[in-house]
Amino acid sequence: IIFDLDGTLIDSLNDIADAANAVLAELGFPLHPKNSYLNFVGDGLLTLAARMVPEETSGTQVKAVAARFRTVYKDCWSDNSRPYPGILTMLEALNQLPVNLAVLSNKPDDFTQLFVNRFFPAKMFGQVMGNRPGVPKKPDPTAALAIANFFGCENADCLMVGDSGVDMKTGKNGGMSSLGVSWGFRSRQELIESGADLLIDHPSELISHVIDH
């Protein structure tokens, strides 16, 4: 089972929005309400930076904004971020079953590792991958396929779990099943339109799904 991180395992929106708005304030750009970031995140840091600045912002300045966000976010990434209710119980139950667990995020790899190390017990996940140089972001399935290969798992036996269309498409592109979670950043409609094989409304439902299959 390959899990997305932000919006799936961790509610990180407040800290992302706070860091982003702090950067925008420094630059004199308009700030955004927190809920706007629901649609800004999910496609990597550079895309987040491009979405939060005015449209006429140059590519060079977008890169500078992304770099500044990284610096500011380092100081606040865990201020308010926490696992969603029921996530730890779900993961502990899954660890008792004959399944391998992994995390795959478009968040930069260093932050992905920080989150997993801070909020989850050691060795809960057999693989943890954020966005790394030279590796395409989701929905490209390259990283997901590498995780499947690491575990010696057939693609068709893998399950991609996430809260966005990007996650659903990642599973589909890799020949995996895709399971959407409704408690995250994106809408049920987006998950359905992006090919979710199943939607769940509470983490405990994933345990039942795994046992039944």
Side-chain angles (χ1 to χ4, degrees):
I1 303 174
I2 304 173
F3 291 95
D4 173 51
L5 185 65
D6 298 274
T8 300
L9 298 177
I10 299 282
D11 183 359
S12 54
L13 189 67
N14 284 334
D15 293 330
I16 292 171
D18 287 348
N21 279 336
V23 172
L24 293 173
E26 288 178 4
L27 298 171
F29 289 154
L31 310 189
H32 301 287
K34 182 183 74 172
N35 283 349
S36 293
Y37 289 94
L38 291 169
N39 293 312
F40 289 175
V41 302
D43 293 292
L45 176 55
L46 196 60
T47 303
L48 167 62
R51 288 171 176 166
M52 66 194 234
V53 298
E55 287 186 13
E56 64 273 14
T57 306
S58 69
T60 300
Q61 191 165 19
V62 168
K63 290 180 181 178
V65 169
R68 181 58 183 154
F69 173 88
R70 174 186 279 277
T71 299
V72 174
Y73 191 49
K74 280 182 179 179
D75 291 332
C76 70
W77 64 272
S78 63
D79 286 357
N80 300 288
S81 297
R82 298 291 183 274
Y84 285 100
I87 288 294
L88 286 171
T89 299
M90 174 198 73
L91 292 172
E92 289 165 356
L94 291 174
N95 269 161
Q96 302 304 311
L97 300 174
V99 295
N100 295 303
L101 306 182
V103 171
L104 175 59
S105 176
N106 278 343
K107 183 188 286 290
D109 188 60
D110 54 344
F111 282 112
T112 300
Q113 303 294 337
L114 281 173
F115 269 84
V116 171
N117 290 335
R118 169 68 64 89
F119 293 115
F120 302 110
K123 300 182 179 179
M124 178 162 276
F125 300 101
Q127 278 274 281
V128 176
M129 291 183 65
N131 184 231
R132 300 175 180 178
V135 180
K137 297 181 299 182
K138 299 181 293 183
D140 186 291
T142 299
L145 294 174
I147 290 172
N149 184 65
F150 174 84
F151 289 121
C153 182
E154 295 292 333
N155 299 348
D157 294 328
C158 295
L159 180 64
M160 182 73 212
V161 179
D163 69 306
S164 74
V166 167
D167 300 312
M168 301 303 97
K169 291 173 183 176
T170 302
K172 293 301 177 186
N173 291 342
M176 304 173 179
S177 297
S178 296
L179 184 147
V181 305
S182 68
W183 58 79
F185 296 166
R186 301 297 178 86
S187 68
R188 296 176 70 92
Q189 181 179 355
E190 177 177 321
L191 294 167
I192 293 168
E193 291 176 351
S194 299
D197 296 300
L198 179 70
L199 293 181
I200 61 172
D201 299 313
H202 190 275
S204 61
E205 295 176 57
L206 180 55
I207 303 169
S208 302
H209 175 75
V210 171
I211 292 174
D212 291 343
H213 291 77

